Each structure stands twice: as C-alpha cells, then as structure tokens.
Amino acid sequence: MSTFGALAGDWTTRDSQGVEPARAYIKAIESIDSMEAMTNYLLNADGMNFSQDQWVGITVEAGLNDRENNTVMLAAKPVLTLQDQDAYSEMTNGALGLKEYNNEKISYLLTRRGYDDSAIQGILARCYQFEGRLAEVMEPTDDQNSIDYLQSADNTYTIEQIEGIQGAYPLTALLAHYKMEGSNHYTVCEPDYVTDLGKPYTQGNLEEMKSYYLVRTLNEVMPILDREAFDKYTEIKLAMEGSSKTKDGDKNPDGDAKDNKKTEETAILLNNFIGTYLAEPMDEIYVAQYCDAGQKAEIQEMIKEIISYYRVMLQDEDWLSEETRNEAVAKLDNLAVRAVYPDTFTDYSELSFKSGGNLVEAVSAIDDFKRGIMAPKVNTAVNRNEWNLSTMSTTEVNAYYNPQENAINILPGILANGTFYRSDMSQEDKLARLGSIIGHEITHAFDITGSEFDKDGRVSGWWTLEDNTAFQERTMKMSKYYNVLTHYPGATGYTGNVTSEAIADMGRMKCMLALAAEDPGFDYKQFFTSYAALWRQKATEDVEQSLAQGDEHPLAFLRTNVTIQQFDAFSKAFGVEPGDVMYIEEWDRILVWLEWMKKEEQPWEKPLFP
C-alpha cells in the first residue's frame, strides 16, 4: 500500500507523464480491426484491457436458491453511462445531466489525445448507440428491483448450456479467462439477455464497440493521470453533484498557509485514492487503529440481548399463527451478525506493482488481483460471517439489514465520533442510540420487504395466507397514518413510501423500552431526549419536501415525534396528557408489532402536525 501511495502522491512524476500512461490502453482499442481482435481484447490477451467492463456482470456468491454454496452469478449489468437503461428510450433530466458531464470528460481527454471535434462527437455518438443496444435487451429497471425478478432470475445452467445460448458473444471464454469454467453450475439471471448479446457482437458494430470501450477506459483513467486531468475530473464531478470546489477563504493562499494547504490536500487525496482502489487493506489498518476486541464484544452482547427480546416478542404475537411464528423465530435465530469488524481480512501480500511503473498500471494490477481472488471461492461453502468489503467498508458510517443474506451489518464507521456509541455511555444513551439502530435493522427482517425472504435469504412464502393478509392490513394502516402528516403548512404529504422504515422505527422503540423496563432506575426522560438528539438536523422547506416525496425514510423530526408518542413511557416521562399536542389517544396509536386497537376505523382525517 505504501508503494501505491507513493505513486498516487508523486505529482511531479505524474505531471511529467501527462496522459502517456493511458496511451497503450487507448491504442489497444484503436487498433482493433476484426471480431477476433475484439475477442482477444475482451480476454485481455495482451494485458491492455484496462477497465475490463463486460456486458455480463460476473461474480462469485451464494446462489439465489442454494444459499449454502458459492456459485458463479451472471447478471445483466453492463456499465452504462446514463446508469438507468430506461433513459436510452426516454431521456430524463438526470440522464441528460450525466450525458453532458460524460461528454465534457471524454472530450477533454480525447482532445489531449489529438482527436478533433468531429471525431470526438462520432465516438460519443457511437458509444451511446451501442449502450442503447445493450439497454434494449435488459429487463426494465423497475422489474429488476422487484421481488418477482429475484425469483425469475434463479436460472441454473451448465457451462455447456451457456455455450448453447451465448451466440457469438464469448461468454464461456471469459469464464475460462477468469478461471471460473469449473463451477458446478451457473446462475444466469436473464437468459434472454445472454442470448441477445450475440446479435450486436458483429463486425458491423465493431466501431460502436470500440467507442464504448474507449469511453469506459477514459472514464476510468481520468482521475489517475496528471494533475490537470485530475483537477478537470474533480471540477466536473463536483459540478455534477452541485458542489463548489473552493470556499472564498481558500482562494490564493500564500506563504505557510499555501504550503499547509498543499500538505493537507495531498493527505486527503491519498486517502481518497487508497480508499477507492485499496479499500480493504485500508479497512484493516483502520480497524487496528480505532477498534478493539472489547468494543466488539460489548456490541455483540448488546445485539445478542436485543435478539433475545425479539424472540420473545415474536413468540408473543398472538395475531400470528403458530406456523408463521415458528418460521419467524427460526429466521431470527439464523440471523447473521456482522458487527464492528471482520474476523479476517483478504491477504493482499501477493499484490505487486511493476518496478518503475505508473499509477495507471498499478490500478490495473489491483483490478486483476481483485478479480483473481474470486475464482478460488467457486464451489466452496458460503461463510455467512464473511464481510464483502467490496460493497461494505469498515470506515462507512452505516448500519443495514441485507434480506438476501438475512444479516445485519453494523459498520465501525458509525462508532467513529462517539455520537452513536461509546463504552462509557450511560445505559439510557446506549439504548437510545446504537441500541435503537440495531433494533431498527433487526425489525427490517420482518418488514414489508424482509418478510418476503426466509431464514436463508431465499424468496419464500413462509407466511400463511391468513397471516400475510393480516400483516398487509397493518402495513396499509401504517401507510395511511403517514400519508396525512405534513411537515410544514401547505406542504404535500407522504405517498406511502415510508412504510418499511416506519415499521422498523416502531419495532426498535418497542424493543428498547422493553429492555429499559428491566432496569428499575432507568431514566426515561434522558433516554427519549438522547433519542431525539440523534435525529436533529437543519433543512430547508424545499429539501424537506423533496425528501418527503422521494426518501423511503420518514423525515427526521417525524422519526422522533411520531414514533415516541405511540408509547405510554414517553407520555409519563414528560407529563404529556390528553389535550396536549404530543398526546395521542390509545385507540389512535399505530404499532405494527403490537396489538392493534380494537376500533375498526381510526380518526386519522387530519394531520397530527398541522
């Protein structure tokens, strides 16, 4: 990692090299003159395929149905500039913005390569044309995000069967190149997509394919060339994100201030480079520096205690049948817990860089190494305690539930500044903060989406019809409850998209209060105050309105107010009585994992926060 850091931080050398490190990779694409040459390029025969972006996503992971064994997953996941395949048939404002920013980046680099405007426009047009061909044969975005898609995507093929449907596209040759030709079976998520890939893989589309790979390669290398290219990349990226590159106070520093700023900037850049390309080794260093076994043990014990309560809660749900209740408890008992840091990290000691090489070659070597560590996992048993550090970083400030793995993930970044957890916190603060986060994620195992997956993470109808109907009625009431809430006078309310997150909020609060009840001296006022502080934030009315319409989470102040006012413990702690704004009559309260009120109809005709 030190060698990579030295390459990344050596701006003098990078500036002297200019765009030269990318020249061999660009020339390899420009020289493709036949379909045989294109296939050799895809197979990286000469080591000059930098991005190696394929039209089929190739990963090794648990099968969609066989969750105990690793298999090769073949997904319809080509890299598309506009990101959403639907945008190629109907351009949206967001896709138009992405296209404009991409055009600016590619035009800049191709100009430095010596291309004129006409040639550049031709390359971009052909790239989008070819991406449109790929997008046309993919499943629509909405379909890919549905539960039904996961069921339809579970298609088991042998290597011979894949060869029979791939047509001209060299998919089986790619599998052999990645040393994955020996898988017992393959999961082909969209067989029709694989079949259709052979159709555009022709000499007539060769220039389109070359343009596609040229654009992909330039996008990948731009931030790792010289300072001019990096600054241009950063400028475009920040403009796309709606940010400003500098603050007024940062302009034209001089003397010591300039040197200090340069040193600080270099440290930030190195951190970003290493975090982007060598995230797992950096994760290992982060854990060694900021995490300890005692902290991990305490948090694991907290999770164990919360899970124990959920087991009791599920067993006591008398509106569930015994059959569904038993399945729910089995799912809870099979929950994988990944907390604070993984037990082991991938060994990167075999990763080496070319002596006297450049940053582009180093990144290419890293990409090759990462692909190489996938193949040995083929046909092996799934380790449910293993962290997939390509998708989850120990430095990330996050916690989440993964329904396909039936796993909760508590990443150590969330513990970094003591806001969510410190060993010396009071019990009230621990339950209000990290405890409530853990409870929230566990509840997701039984929310609208989580309830579709069984204990092994398979899409499975483990609910009885009667129980599922009763659950849907409860979630519908939750949706109706939030749909009448407005966050400021005249604002448009919710549209029913917060139900799963609201369910998880209610579940966690019930759990935390049950654990609190075991402590005779528990300070409920401190607990609720600490919980409220967790969600405080500032936002403009426009931002609040946007979040209310598009975010699956309730607005921050509603996550506090609506949740806590459902519980007697809150009313007692703060002396909230009938007639007070925060008081809700018992029959108006809404709790999914609590017994519902007796009344058939609830008077929710007006907002609780007018």
Side-chain angles (χ1 to χ4, degrees):
M1 192 158 70
S2 59
T3 302
F4 181 78
L7 289 170
D10 185 0
W11 286 108
T12 300
T13 300
R14 288 175 65 179
D15 286 342
S16 69
Q17 293 170 340
V19 296
E20 186 62 28
R23 189 177 301 277
Y25 298 96
I26 295 172
K27 188 175 180 179
I29 300 170
E30 293 171 336
S31 64
I32 296 173
D33 58 3
S34 66
M35 291 309 298
E36 181 182 2
M38 174 57 74
T39 297
N40 287 336
Y41 173 77
L42 296 185
L43 298 178
N44 205 23
D46 58 1
M48 286 292 107
N49 183 341
F50 178 78
S51 63
Q52 294 193 43
D53 287 329
Q54 306 302 345
W55 308 347
V56 177
I58 303 175
T59 57
V60 179
E61 55 190 277
L64 293 176
N65 191 45
D66 178 7
R67 304 299 297 170
E68 295 182 359
N69 298 292
N70 285 308
T71 187
V72 178
M73 189 78 66
L74 305 176
K77 290 185 177 179
V79 177
L80 300 176
T81 301
L82 306 185
Q83 297 181 0
D84 183 354
Q85 64 263 35
D86 299 338
Y88 290 86
S89 58
E90 185 176 353
M91 182 71 70
T92 63
N93 288 336
L96 182 60
L98 287 172
K99 187 175 184 179
E100 290 174 349
Y101 290 125
N102 182 68
N103 290 354
E104 187 176 359
K105 287 189 295 182
I106 301 307
S107 296
Y108 163 78
L109 284 177
L110 286 177
T111 298
R112 291 189 65 180
R113 171 68 173 146
Y115 284 80
D116 60 29
D117 287 345
S118 177
I120 292 171
Q121 294 307 310
I123 288 170
L124 288 168
R126 289 191 296 272
C127 173
Y128 295 129
Q129 179 68 26
F130 189 73
E131 289 182 353
R133 294 182 190 277
L134 297 177
E136 187 177 1
V137 296
M138 295 172 65
E139 290 284 342
T141 302
D142 288 345
D143 291 349
Q144 287 192 352
N145 293 331
S146 70
I147 298 296
D148 291 340
Y149 177 80
L150 289 177
Q151 293 178 300
S152 66
D154 186 21
N155 306 294
T156 300
Y157 276 68
T158 64
I159 193 75
E160 292 79 15
Q161 289 172 323
I162 292 173
E163 188 171 15
I165 66 171
Q166 68 185 5
Y169 185 67
L171 180 53
T172 52
L174 284 169
L175 291 171
H177 168 67
Y178 293 130
K179 296 181 172 57
M180 297 179 188
E181 73 276 25
S183 183
N184 293 333
H185 62 269
Y186 301 80
T187 298
V188 182
C189 295
E190 296 179 25
D192 290 343
Y193 173 80
V194 174
T195 299
D196 288 335
L197 286 182
K199 299 174 183 177
Y201 197 73
T202 64
Q203 184 74 30
N205 295 322
L206 187 60
E207 291 305 313
E208 286 185 9
M209 286 186 275
K210 289 172 61 176
S211 296
Y212 170 79
Y213 282 107
L214 183 58
V215 170
R216 297 268 56 79
T217 298
L218 292 175
N219 266 310
E220 293 288 335
V221 301
M222 188 171 182
I224 52 176
L225 295 173
D226 59 9
R227 188 53 181 262
E228 181 186 331
F230 175 81
D231 283 348
K232 186 67 174 178
Y233 171 86
T234 303
E235 175 189 329
I236 296 171
K237 183 174 183 290
L238 291 176
M240 182 173 63
E241 295 171 349
S243 304
S244 173
K245 185 177 181 181
T246 61
K247 299 178 182 179
D248 290 343
D250 294 335
K251 293 180 180 178
N252 301 319
D254 54 40
D256 291 340
K258 184 174 182 180
D259 292 338
N260 291 339
K261 179 174 176 58
K262 186 175 181 180
T263 300
E264 179 183 357
E265 181 187 61
T266 300
I268 293 172
L269 289 177
L270 285 177
N271 182 64
N272 287 339
F273 276 123
I274 294 172
T276 298
Y277 299 107
L278 286 172
E280 189 168 354
M282 190 170 80
D283 284 342
E284 189 170 3
I285 292 173
Y286 176 87
V287 166
Q289 180 71 31
Y290 297 108
C291 303
D292 61 71
Q295 181 188 59
K296 180 175 181 177
E298 183 177 355
I299 292 173
Q300 286 179 320
E301 184 60 31
M302 179 186 291
I303 295 172
K304 182 179 178 181
E305 187 177 4
I306 293 171
I307 288 175
S308 295
Y309 168 74
Y310 269 80
R311 187 178 298 108
V312 173
M313 183 184 75
L314 288 168
Q315 290 170 337
D316 288 346
E317 289 295 349
D318 58 9
W319 64 272
L320 289 175
S321 67
E322 183 177 0
E323 179 183 348
T324 300
R325 190 162 53 240
N326 289 341
E327 290 290 339
V329 172
K331 181 174 184 179
L332 184 70
D333 288 342
N334 200 44
L335 184 72
V337 175
R338 302 176 188 133
V340 185
Y341 57 85
D343 293 331
T344 59
F345 289 88
T346 300
D347 181 6
Y348 271 69
S349 62
E350 295 299 316
L351 172 63
S352 60
F353 301 119
K354 179 180 177 182
S355 176
N358 55 61
L359 187 58
V360 174
E361 292 171 338
V363 170
S364 181
I366 291 170
D367 287 345
D368 288 339
F369 177 83
K370 288 180 179 178
R371 290 186 181 91
I373 61 179
M374 285 198 298
K377 293 183 180 180
V378 176
N379 299 329
T380 63
V382 172
N383 177 3
R384 297 185 69 233
N385 293 319
E386 182 179 24
W387 292 42
N388 182 357
L389 290 174
S390 65
T391 59
M392 52 191 286
S393 168
T394 59
T395 59
E396 185 179 353
V397 182
N398 198 12
Y400 65 95
Y401 171 75
N402 185 326
Q404 286 185 266
E405 296 178 322
N406 188 27
I408 59 167
N409 304 278
I410 311 298
L411 309 186
I414 205 170
L415 314 176
N417 62 6
T419 299
F420 299 96
Y421 168 85
R422 295 190 317 274
S423 294
D424 61 354
M425 272 183 173
S426 67
Q427 179 69 353
E428 287 82 0
D429 286 340
K430 285 180 179 178
L431 291 182
R433 295 177 179 244
L434 184 59
S436 72
I437 290 170
I438 294 168
H440 178 95
E441 301 310 333
I442 292 176
T443 305
H444 274 314
F446 308 98
D447 67 9
I448 297 172
T449 300
S451 62
E452 298 277 1
F453 296 82
D454 67 11
K455 66 182 182 66
D456 298 312
R458 295 174 297 211
V459 177
S460 172
W462 55 274
W463 291 64
T464 66
L465 178 60
E466 294 79 9
D467 291 339
N468 187 57
T469 300
F471 180 68
Q472 295 302 324
E473 290 175 352
R474 286 160 169 74
T475 58
M476 187 177 296
K477 289 181 180 180
M478 177 74 79
S479 177
K480 289 180 179 179
Y481 193 86
Y482 269 87
N483 284 355
V484 301
L485 302 179
T486 56
H487 40 290
Y488 64 87
T492 302
Y494 286 101
T495 56
N497 62 338
V498 299
T499 310
S500 286
E501 295 298 332
I503 289 172
D505 284 348
M506 298 295 178
R508 69 163 154 210
M509 185 55 63
K510 182 188 176 186
C511 177
M512 294 307 105
L513 290 175
L515 295 176
E518 298 176 2
D519 180 0
F522 193 82
D523 187 337
Y524 287 91
K525 200 165 188 177
Q526 180 186 340
F527 166 80
F528 285 114
T529 301
S530 184
Y531 178 80
L534 190 65
W535 298 108
R536 62 187 173 192
Q537 65 178 37
K538 293 181 180 179
T540 64
E541 290 184 351
D542 288 344
V543 169
E544 295 275 75
Q545 184 65 76
S546 176
L547 291 173
Q549 296 303 299
D551 192 352
E552 61 186 1
H553 299 84
L555 293 173
F557 84 98
L558 293 176
R559 300 190 79 170
T560 301
N561 291 1
V562 173
T563 302
I564 64 178
Q565 66 184 162
Q566 310 296 324
F567 297 89
D568 287 334
F570 164 72
S571 299
K572 292 177 181 178
F574 289 90
V576 179
E577 299 177 348
D580 293 337
V581 174
M582 285 292 288
Y583 185 82
I584 303 180
E585 294 291 349
E586 184 179 350
W587 54 82
D588 285 340
R589 299 177 190 176
I590 181 166
L591 295 165
V592 170
W593 292 104
L594 286 178
E595 181 183 359
W596 281 74
M597 300 307 105
K598 279 73 175 176
K599 299 182 79 174
E600 289 290 327
E601 299 293 335
Q602 285 78 12
W604 299 336
E605 285 77 17
K606 61 181 180 179
L608 296 176
F609 303 98

